[in-house]
Amino acid sequence: MKKIALLAFALILFNCNGNAQDSKKEEKTFKITKTEAEWKQILSNKQYYVLREAGTERPFSSALNKEYGSGTYVCAACKTPLFKSENKFDSGTGWPSFDQEIKGNVSYSVDYNLGSARTEEHCANCGGHLGHVFNDGPSKTTGKRHCVNGVALAFIPAK
């Protein structure tokens, strides 16, 4: 019985060590870096919670969810263009949704916070958490649904 308990303990220890190494491999450096204090000075409390702490805003709480004007959605932290209005659609989820990003301006990682793997998306310039990508978007376009926290975005109307 001692051997089984020791073996189980060794397996748990080995798995924990392996996961720690994997998470270090996923760490990225971004062009725009600031201290927590600097981010707190330029972001609202809600923006800081979502962009810097990977939080989620309440569904249907963002005015951008129902924004249908022509323009560009940019990162609320660093103003990097992330999504175009022509790629926005109403997913019914309560968060602004897009079927594609502006290539090169969004980066991705894997998020296991809810017990299964999800594709998390970030601003490629500052690393701000935007939301997640799912494979239940419009089948006539990309099939992707970029489910984005509205507080992580600012909308720049077309001129």
Side-chain angles (χ1 to χ4, degrees):
M1 192 61 149
K2 279 185 176 179
K3 289 181 181 178
I4 293 174
L6 186 58
L7 179 61
F9 177 74
L11 287 173
I12 291 170
L13 186 62
F14 178 74
N15 282 338
C16 291
N17 199 15
N19 288 340
Q21 289 173 351
D22 288 345
S23 66
K24 286 181 183 175
K25 288 178 189 173
E26 288 187 33
E27 287 181 16
K28 295 181 180 181
T29 55
F30 297 95
K31 294 175 189 173
I32 298 172
T33 58
K34 295 183 183 304
T35 65
E36 285 184 38
E38 290 171 322
W39 284 122
K40 285 182 178 181
Q41 279 189 322
I42 64 171
L43 300 172
S44 71
N45 288 340
K46 285 182 183 179
Q47 288 173 322
Y48 185 85
Y49 170 68
V50 170
L51 287 160
R52 307 316 310 168
E53 296 178 338
T56 302
E57 70 184 356
R58 288 182 304 110
F60 302 101
S61 64
S62 172
L64 293 181
N65 186 44
K66 296 294 183 183
E67 172 61 59
Y68 297 112
S70 180
T72 304
Y73 293 83
V74 301
C75 176
C78 71
K79 308 304 182 229
T80 297
L82 302 171
F83 303 98
K84 294 180 181 178
S85 61
E86 59 260 29
N87 301 118
K88 188 172 189 282
F89 67 97
D90 188 352
S91 65
T93 61
W95 290 282
S97 298
F98 305 86
D99 66 358
Q100 62 185 286
E101 77 286 7
I102 295 175
K103 300 290 182 207
N105 291 357
V106 176
S107 67
Y108 302 93
S109 64
V110 179
D111 166 9
Y112 294 99
N113 291 340
L114 296 180
S116 63
R118 298 186 301 167
T119 302
E120 183 176 2
E121 57 189 338
H122 310 268
C123 171
N125 274 338
C126 72
H129 168 79
L130 303 173
H132 293 86
V133 183
F134 302 98
N135 291 319
D136 60 1
S139 60
K140 291 181 180 178
T141 59
T142 64
K144 302 288 184 195
R145 173 174 56 98
H146 296 258
C147 187
V148 182
N149 291 283
V151 73
L153 301 172
F155 179 67
I156 309 295
K159 295 179 181 176

